[in-house]
Amino acid sequence: MIEMDERDLDALLAEDPGGPVVMLNLLRFRPDGGRESYQRYIEALGTEIHGRYGLRVEYLGDGGRALVAEDGQAWDAVLLVRYPSRQAFADMVRDPDYRAAAHFRSEALVESVLQPTVPLQGRVI
């Protein structure tokens, strides 16, 4: 699955512990221009969407060979994006400007993981 629907956003908000959220993005690009399409997605979002919803890219990196994983679990890229809240993330995804650019993301990816994370705040696993 590449895109989320309204039920996914409703579940994200229903499980909201409050505070910021860092979204883990694991990305597997289509071999025929996927990286380029994802770049168009990033450019289409531009600084306006970033500023409007307060998102900040914490980390972007190319994936390497997975050292410990099941077959097929190597990812082309890893992206960590911080949002001030889950509500800010949901509002962004529902924004017409975002939706106008989202097709570039869908066209870019074969597979993806999008997982919300929250800080442990002093807790040990």
Side-chain angles (χ1 to χ4, degrees):
M1 178 159 72
I2 301 298
E3 298 301 330
M4 68 200 99
D5 61 24
E6 285 296 321
R7 289 177 302 203
D8 297 321
L9 290 174
D10 290 343
L12 176 77
L13 295 174
E15 299 166 356
D16 189 355
V21 61
V22 175
M23 298 298 278
L24 166 66
N25 294 257
L26 301 175
L27 309 171
R28 187 167 297 118
F29 298 114
R30 293 186 185 281
D32 56 338
R35 282 186 184 273
E36 293 80 9
S37 187
Y38 200 83
Q39 184 62 39
R40 285 191 296 277
Y41 164 71
I42 297 301
E43 290 168 2
L45 294 182
T47 57
E48 184 178 333
I49 294 286
H50 286 131
R52 190 180 305 164
Y53 296 102
L55 68 95
R56 186 174 74 225
V57 174
E58 297 286 328
Y59 178 82
L60 172 61
D62 280 328
R65 182 178 64 85
L67 300 177
V68 178
E70 298 293 323
D71 286 341
Q73 292 303 304
W75 298 94
D76 295 325
V78 175
L79 178 64
L80 296 171
V81 183
R82 175 182 296 278
Y83 297 85
S85 66
R86 289 181 182 214
Q87 186 65 57
F89 173 81
D91 291 346
M92 181 195 74
V93 171
R94 291 174 172 144
D95 185 302
D97 291 336
Y98 174 87
R99 290 183 184 249
H103 70 94
F104 290 123
R105 184 180 185 280
S106 299
E107 293 165 5
L109 300 173
V110 173
E111 189 174 8
S112 151
V113 169
L114 181 61
Q115 182 175 346
T117 69
V118 294
L120 289 176
Q121 300 193 15
R123 295 181 302 174
V124 177
I125 297 178

